[in-house]
Amino acid sequence: MKFLIKLTFVFLLFIVFVQVVFAQTTLAPAEREKGGKLVAGDVGDKITAPRIAKEKAQTSEEVKKESGRKNGSKLEATEDKNITAAGKDYEKAQTPEEVKKESMAKVITEAAINEGVQKFEDLPSLQAKIFFFYSPTSLYDVFCKDGYITDIQLQPGEEPLYVGGGDTVRWIIDKAQSGIGENKQWHILIKPLKSKISTNLIITTDKHSYQLRLHSSNFFNPFVGWSYPSEDKAAFLRQAAIEKKRADETISIPITPDKLNFGYKIESVTSWYQSDFSWMPKLAFNDGTKTYIQMSSGMKSGEAPALFVKDGEGVALVNYRVKDNYYIIDRLFEQAELRCGMKEIVVISRITKNAK
């Protein structure tokens, strides 16, 4: 009887042993981290063998990279939130008075810009070159074209100190020099890389400062330059002194009175206050080959106007010389303009026999 009881007990132990061995060979051990130790047996947190192998295979550098990516994403999200919050804070910080002040400043600025931009219909030209009237507070619109270079010609003798554009990615800005000595002249070369774009350009020299607005269009200005009314006065006085000295040293040729033609009309077109300019011409006549314009004596104490002759649809700058108080042009013309800046213009028209 005792033998049977022992045999049964041994048999039960054998069965338990077999079950334990079977469980260990067929089921993967689950591990849980508790108190810094990995404990097997928690079914809810089982980690499969491939994942354990993958985690063991990761090096320390890979772990750092992955951590850096996570931290970078968090940092970017934080920065975006900060920027958005700053924008909202700025909007909230603006009082009604500040909004009104900003709106008023915008209106005044836009009006000043429109006043400062020189209109193309008022500008003279010489063949393909457009001339702006220089003023340190004016804005100059220049039209460029993709695939073409616009030549901005500075005054001969002046040296560029700074050339900067607002958009240097889509615009190519370069400079070049022509001539030597007194004939040296700097050229600012502009080329857009795309159509229908705009930017601004600032040029400072040892004599002037220019601010241009560049526009990429379907046409372009090949040459752009300036006339300098305030500086033309000094040139006029120098030229007058040279001509006077030359006239004193030479024998003048008498003009035959019967060949003189005084059929010219002189009128100011921009004198809104109905008062003549200080340099208003007194008389215009020709001798059949040359035209003479007698200027007012007040021109010597003020600015000297530049002379433009109307050819076709526009006006062109012409050469003339000064003798005493006369402009002498070596040609005849039907209509000419004397301009001093943009707001002082005098038109001299030849009266034909058929005119009524």
Side-chain angles (χ1 to χ4, degrees), residues 17 28 54-55 75 85 95 106 121 135-136 140 150 153 183 193-194 215 221 225 302 332 347:
F17 175 78
K54 180 179 179 181
E55 290 181 352
L75 182 60
T95 64
K106 181 179 179 181
E121 56 267 25
S135 171
Y140 313 102
T150 293
Q153 301 179 352
N183 298 321
L193 300 179
K194 189 178 180 181
H215 310 279
N221 301 128
L332 304 180
V347 178

Side-chain angles (χ1 to χ4, degrees), residues 174-220:
D174 203 353
K175 61 182 180 180
Q177 177 186 321
S178 65
I180 56 175
E182 295 181 355
N183 298 321
K184 184 174 72 171
Q185 185 177 24
W186 281 97
H187 304 254
I188 309 301
L189 308 176
I190 308 297
K191 179 182 176 182
L193 300 179
K194 189 178 180 181
S195 60
K196 297 181 180 180
I197 57 175
S198 298
T199 189
N200 71 322
L201 178 70
I202 295 177
I203 304 171
T204 60
T205 71
D206 56 349
K207 295 181 179 180
H208 308 102
S209 62
Y210 310 85
Q211 184 155 160
L212 296 84
R213 300 194 305 182
L214 306 179
H215 310 279
S216 179
S217 183
N218 57 358
F219 74 100
F220 76 110

Side-chain angles (χ1 to χ4, degrees), residues 74-126:
K74 293 180 180 179
L75 182 60
E76 289 177 0
T78 303
E79 290 178 351
D80 291 341
K81 290 180 180 178
N82 292 338
I83 293 173
T84 304
K88 291 181 178 179
D89 290 342
Y90 172 76
E91 292 177 357
K92 291 179 180 178
Q94 280 190 310
T95 64
E97 290 77 11
E98 291 173 336
V99 173
K100 183 178 180 180
K101 184 187 297 184
E102 185 175 339
S103 178
M104 182 63 68
K106 181 179 179 181
V107 171
I108 295 174
T109 301
E110 290 177 348
I113 290 174
N114 291 333
E115 178 69 20
V117 175
Q118 296 192 12
K119 307 300 187 293
F120 261 80
E121 56 267 25
D122 299 329
L123 302 179
S125 63
L126 178 60

Side-chain angles (χ1 to χ4, degrees), residues 41 70 74 102 139 159 175 207 219 262 310 352:
K70 291 180 180 179
K74 293 180 180 179
E102 185 175 339
L139 291 174
E159 294 287 334
K175 61 182 180 180
K207 295 181 179 180
F219 74 100
F262 293 88
K310 186 173 183 179
T352 60

Side-chain angles (χ1 to χ4, degrees), residues 26-56:
T26 57
L27 298 179
E31 298 177 341
R32 171 181 295 273
E33 185 175 358
K34 293 182 179 179
K37 298 182 180 180
L38 291 178
V39 181
D42 290 340
V43 179
D45 295 327
K46 289 182 179 180
I47 302 176
T48 60
R51 183 172 177 181
I52 294 174
K54 180 179 179 181
E55 290 181 352
K56 290 181 179 179

Side-chain angles (χ1 to χ4, degrees), residues 69-336:
R69 285 195 297 269
K70 291 180 180 179
N71 293 335
S73 300
K74 293 180 180 179
L75 182 60
E76 289 177 0
T78 303
E79 290 178 351
D80 291 341
K81 290 180 180 178
N82 292 338
I83 293 173
T84 304
K88 291 181 178 179
D89 290 342
Y90 172 76
E91 292 177 357
K92 291 179 180 178
Q94 280 190 310
T95 64
E97 290 77 11
E98 291 173 336
V99 173
K100 183 178 180 180
K101 184 187 297 184
E102 185 175 339
S103 178
M104 182 63 68
K106 181 179 179 181
V107 171
I108 295 174
T109 301
E110 290 177 348
I113 290 174
N114 291 333
E115 178 69 20
V117 175
Q118 296 192 12
K119 307 300 187 293
F120 261 80
E121 56 267 25
D122 299 329
L123 302 179
S125 63
L126 178 60
Q127 296 180 344
K129 184 175 180 179
I130 298 293
F131 287 88
F132 292 107
F133 296 102
Y134 175 75
S135 171
T137 56
S138 287
L139 291 174
Y140 313 102
D141 282 323
V142 178
F143 292 90
C144 309
K145 185 178 180 180
D146 182 14
Y148 294 82
I149 294 178
T150 293
D151 181 6
I152 299 174
Q153 301 179 352
L154 302 181
Q155 186 183 40
E158 69 177 332
E159 294 287 334
L161 302 178
Y162 172 80
V163 179
D167 183 354
T168 57
V169 175
R170 298 180 297 176
W171 292 79
I172 296 177
I173 303 172
D174 203 353
K175 61 182 180 180
Q177 177 186 321
S178 65
I180 56 175
E182 295 181 355
N183 298 321
K184 184 174 72 171
Q185 185 177 24
W186 281 97
H187 304 254
I188 309 301
L189 308 176
I190 308 297
K191 179 182 176 182
L193 300 179
K194 189 178 180 181
S195 60
K196 297 181 180 180
I197 57 175
S198 298
T199 189
N200 71 322
L201 178 70
I202 295 177
I203 304 171
T204 60
T205 71
D206 56 349
K207 295 181 179 180
H208 308 102
S209 62
Y210 310 85
Q211 184 155 160
L212 296 84
R213 300 194 305 182
L214 306 179
H215 310 279
S216 179
S217 183
N218 57 358
F219 74 100
F220 76 110
N221 301 128
F223 307 96
V224 173
W226 284 265
S227 65
Y228 304 85
S230 60
E231 299 171 31
D232 290 342
K233 175 187 174 182
F236 169 79
L237 295 176
R238 287 195 301 268
Q239 184 66 22
I242 294 173
E243 293 295 334
K244 186 177 185 304
K245 182 179 179 181
R246 185 183 301 167
D248 293 340
E249 295 174 351
T250 58
I251 300 174
S252 60
I253 301 175
I255 300 175
T256 306
D258 58 354
K259 292 184 178 180
L260 297 181
N261 178 8
F262 293 88
Y264 289 88
K265 180 174 64 174
I266 301 174
E267 57 183 348
S268 60
V269 297
T270 57
S271 181
W272 59 270
Y273 45 85
Q274 302 299 320
S275 177
D276 292 340
F277 306 125
S278 61
W279 50 266
M280 188 76 177
K282 291 182 177 180
L283 182 68
F285 61 93
N286 72 72
D287 61 0
T289 57
K290 300 177 182 178
T291 304
Y292 302 84
I293 303 174
Q294 184 183 9
M295 305 300 293
S296 171
S297 58
M299 183 179 66
K300 293 183 179 180
S301 60
E303 295 184 356
L307 178 67
F308 301 89
V309 171
K310 186 173 183 179
D311 287 328
E313 297 181 354
V315 292
L317 185 67
V318 295
N319 293 323
Y320 57 89
R321 62 183 184 276
V322 179
K323 181 177 180 181
D324 294 332
N325 217 34
Y326 287 86
Y327 277 27
I328 303 175
I329 307 97
D330 293 325
R331 56 169 289 187
L332 304 180
F333 57 78
E334 294 299 323
Q335 190 178 83

